[in-house]
Amino acid sequence: MITGPGRVEIVREHLPALGPDDVYAESVVSGISHGTEMAWVAGDAASLHRSWDPQRRIFLDGAGRDFPVAPGYETIARVTAIGEAAVSKVNIGDLVTLDRPHGTAHIVPADAAIASRLPAGVDPERAVFFILARVALGGVHDAEIRLGDTVVVVGLGTVGLLAGQLARLAGAAKVIGVDRYPLRLDTADSLGVTPVCAATEDDIAVQVRKLCGPHGADLAIEASGSYRGLHEAIRCVRVGGRVATVASYNGHQTGLRLGEEYHRNRITLVSSMTVNGCPQRAHPAWDLPRLSATARELVITGRVHVDSLVTHRFPFSEAAKAYHLIAQRPEETIKVVLTYDK
């Protein structure tokens, strides 16, 4: 549980009794979201400071959610017990992907376990990337990449590196990746994404135009979660270009100046959100299950490479150390996972 800004604690909770249509699944590995979860750790998450009205779908003044918060949504677990009515549906030993918080075990409906069951032989650590691959795929769809386009990806964390690969699969002739950390830039380069360092005094948009021509890139995918990153994504694209955001923006930030290139170059800004009650823009041809299944297949088959993205593994009992590392030394990390070896 995140019990307050900067505080991560292991707490004990008792699960309910196993129902006849339930399965009991013990966690094998879970991935930490460096965007969503770290915003809660920092105390910057929008839902902490404003109240979300789900009927009108707007944030309102007033108290939002409070701590404690159970973080996590990228869990791979192994079925170790099955309710009596579900024994013909699920097998002991099946691995399943769960949109559940970090924890040693979970009780889930058998139908949910069936829908998320992994094919035999799939590495659980690879399956950790299924959900973020879906997020990145949604961003690529919303960016509307065309064959031969030049694409800029700003922010080369896990989602940005996945989006860069997916942009190439979608037909981009060149994908340029912007980040300030050498580890992420080197990883992008190894995955076919041309790196641009944001940590120098060189103008990012000028560097991008040296690579793709003076008019700029056709479109950008913003995955940094910073207003400065969003501003640079806008600056990197051509007149009438498109910027799709896959990151969430938290806290009080500066650096976004909409009176400049955004206005002067008539940029289209699109928010990509694959959950929270938002249907896909290509619905009904594309819905969340199809998007998830496609992302999953791309990861399983290796068309999207994820094996080099895990930089750190921490035992679940040392989760606080994992969050501290991401907060204090982000330049050393891409994907940090928690393991649950007995």
Side-chain angles (χ1 to χ4, degrees), residues 146-166:
R146 290 178 290 245
L147 187 66
D149 275 347
T150 297
V151 178
V152 175
V153 178
V154 178
L156 297 174
T158 300
V159 173
L161 290 168
L162 294 172
Q165 296 180 69
L166 289 165

Side-chain angles (χ1 to χ4, degrees), residues 1-4 40 48 65-71:
M1 303 289 281
I2 301 171
T3 56
W40 285 102
L48 277 171
R65 276 185 69 182
D66 199 1
F67 295 107
V69 173

Side-chain angles (χ1 to χ4, degrees), residues 46-228:
S47 295
L48 277 171
H49 308 288
R50 303 260 286 170
S51 176
W52 174 247
D53 182 333
Q55 280 72 44
R56 289 177 286 180
R57 296 192 65 81
I58 53 174
F59 278 98
L60 302 170
D61 288 336
R65 276 185 69 182
D66 199 1
F67 295 107
V69 173
Y73 53 85
E74 308 163 31
T75 295
I76 310 302
R78 178 175 284 107
V79 174
T80 57
I82 305 172
E84 58 184 17
V87 292
S88 62
K89 303 177 182 179
V90 188
N91 298 314
I92 297 293
D94 283 349
L95 286 171
V96 294
T97 62
L98 303 177
D99 184 352
R100 294 293 180 94
H102 307 292
T104 55
H106 307 271
I107 289 180
V108 297
D111 289 343
I114 294 167
S116 64
R117 185 162 42 192
L118 291 181
V122 175
D123 184 345
E125 204 169 83
R126 180 177 285 191
V128 161
F129 290 89
F130 286 172
I131 290 178
L132 292 188
R134 184 202 69 211
V135 171
L137 181 60
V140 167
H141 280 201
D142 286 330
E144 297 183 358
I145 296 170
R146 290 178 290 245
L147 187 66
D149 275 347
T150 297
V151 178
V152 175
V153 178
V154 178
L156 297 174
T158 300
V159 173
L161 290 168
L162 294 172
Q165 296 180 69
L166 289 165
R168 288 181 60 84
L169 291 175
K174 179 184 284 291
V175 179
I176 300 167
V178 178
D179 205 286
R180 51 184 171 159
Y181 300 140
L183 170 64
R184 299 180 182 187
L185 293 166
D186 290 344
T187 303
D189 194 24
S190 73
L191 295 172
V193 175
T194 303
V196 166
C197 183
T200 69
E201 294 183 359
D202 295 333
D203 188 297
I204 292 171
V206 171
Q207 292 185 72
V208 167
R209 281 165 168 76
K210 287 180 180 178
L211 294 169
C212 67
H215 299 297
D218 296 292
L219 52 95
I221 297 173
E222 208 297 301
S224 75
S226 73
Y227 283 170
R228 182 188 171 209

